[in-house]
Amino acid sequence: MQIRPNAAWTALLAAALFGATTPFAKLLLGTLSPFMLAGLFYLGSGVGLALVLVVRRLARPHDAREHSPQMQATEVPWQAGAILAGGVAGPALLMLGLSSTPAATGALLLNLEGVFTALIAWVVFRENVDLNVLLGMVAIVAGGVLLSWQTGPDGLPAGAVLVAGACLCWAVDNNLTRKVSTNDAVVIACLKGLVAGPVNFGIALWLGARLPAANQVAKAMLTGFAGYGVSLVLFVVALRNLGTARTGAYFSVAPLFGVILSIAIWPAMPSVFFWCAGALMALGIWLHLREHHAHAHTHEPMEHAHRHSHDEHHQHEHDFDWDGSEPHTHSHSHAQMLHTHAHYPDVHHQHVH
């Protein structure tokens, strides 16, 4: 398959920003409670992206190219479920898990998010699966198990289980977010931050946490803006173009950025199990990159709105004044089409195999 460079790089940049938050979260957990930190991360994301929306609106108040509809009523449950799973449960489990798990180990365990994302996409939402992607997921799972499992009377560490639980929550979030990914990515991410932030912050206060110092608040919110806010915006854009499982596969490189940063902050020689797990996960990512998927397929008639250029899938007329600028956003219809090309299960390729 010919990789779409922009989509691939978008997913990888999202992964880099998110992966870097793990060691920073570990540093901040020394002075902030898990729920307080999760709340500040999402508050930073929501408030920061809200400011981006304000600046964007002021910069182009009468932009005739933008005709984005509001989120449809049928999409609200998907967005609400994504916020609950990924914005409330996920970060809380991660912070609790990191409080008893080494930062490098926690970073690599986050590879499980891609696995769980793909499994839900394949089993529940019937997204197609190719052999390379399947084998890659098997390798990543094996690496996660090897990394997490400890011999001795205590068995599987509780911290690792909590981090894995966070990955499952984010996998549910990813699949639900796919259902609303044609909407404005900044708005989607902003809503999650503005809802999840106060919820986690309120839980922290209810459990007895005290308000942190101003400099700690600033550090946490800035980290959240980049690692949760900007990262999520990029992730949603990648979902449109790559599909859920493939975006999850690219996102699996996130822990590698976290591991590198963790080792730089806490210099130490990792164990042999760590390197074996890392090798298995790297093999899984390599297998994902080798995927090839092309066949004759039919596009059924559909109507939706998203940012697009007039490529082979977008040959339509406009019912508004258009100056020819691309890309642009508006509601548009697709007629039925039969053709063959390499493709991902993006918003235009939801066909049965």
Side-chain angles (χ1 to χ4, degrees), residues 263-315:
I263 294 175
I265 296 174
W266 298 282
M269 180 59 68
S271 69
V272 64
F273 293 103
F274 177 90
W275 292 113
C276 290
L280 283 169
M281 292 178 173
L283 173 63
I285 294 169
W286 177 73
L287 287 169
H288 291 155
L289 295 174
R290 295 185 69 250
E291 180 198 7
H292 180 83
H293 185 79
H295 60 90
H297 55 276
T298 300
H299 294 268
E300 298 298 334
M302 67 182 300
E303 182 175 348
H304 62 178
H306 64 91
R307 196 168 180 82
H308 63 277
S309 297
H310 285 188
D311 56 19
E312 61 179 322
H313 295 100
H314 296 90
Q315 299 298 319

Side-chain angles (χ1 to χ4, degrees), residues 14-26 41 107 110 223 226-227 253-259 261-262 265:
L17 290 171
F18 181 73
T21 62
T22 302
F24 283 122
K26 184 71 175 179
F41 273 2
L110 292 179
T223 301
V253 306
L256 298 180
F257 294 99
V259 169
L261 189 56
S262 296
I265 296 174

Side-chain angles (χ1 to χ4, degrees), residues 134-334:
L134 176 60
L135 293 177
M137 290 301 178
V138 171
I140 292 173
V141 169
V145 171
L146 182 61
L147 185 65
S148 305
W149 191 262
Q150 302 288 333
T151 58
D154 296 331
L156 192 65
V161 173
L162 290 171
V163 175
C167 292
L168 179 59
C169 289
W170 277 318
V172 172
D173 172 13
N174 294 339
N175 279 275
L176 298 183
T177 300
R178 168 67 184 277
K179 292 292 187 176
V180 298
S181 62
T182 57
N183 291 282
D184 190 325
V186 179
V187 172
I188 292 173
C190 180
L191 286 174
K192 179 180 288 186
L194 292 179
V195 173
V199 169
N200 282 283
F201 191 79
I203 292 174
L205 295 178
W206 179 67
L207 292 175
R210 295 183 177 180
L211 291 175
N215 66 325
Q216 294 293 84
V217 171
K219 291 177 183 177
M221 292 185 68
L222 183 61
T223 301
F225 171 67
Y228 280 20
V230 178
S231 176
L232 179 57
V233 171
L234 297 172
F235 186 87
V236 171
V237 173
L239 279 176
R240 295 176 194 158
N241 298 308
L242 301 175
T244 311
R246 276 74 177 173
T247 302
Y250 278 103
F251 205 70
S252 294
V253 306
L256 298 180
F257 294 99
V259 169
I260 293 171
L261 189 56
S262 296
I263 294 175
I265 296 174
W266 298 282
M269 180 59 68
S271 69
V272 64
F273 293 103
F274 177 90
W275 292 113
C276 290
L280 283 169
M281 292 178 173
L283 173 63
I285 294 169
W286 177 73
L287 287 169
H288 291 155
L289 295 174
R290 295 185 69 250
E291 180 198 7
H292 180 83
H293 185 79
H295 60 90
H297 55 276
T298 300
H299 294 268
E300 298 298 334
M302 67 182 300
E303 182 175 348
H304 62 178
H306 64 91
R307 196 168 180 82
H308 63 277
S309 297
H310 285 188
D311 56 19
E312 61 179 322
H313 295 100
H314 296 90
Q315 299 298 319
H316 50 255
E317 300 296 329
H318 297 82
D319 57 2
F320 58 89
D321 292 334
W322 175 49
D323 61 5
S325 299
E326 295 182 339
H328 58 197
T329 304
H330 62 90
S331 294
H332 55 277
S333 298
H334 294 270

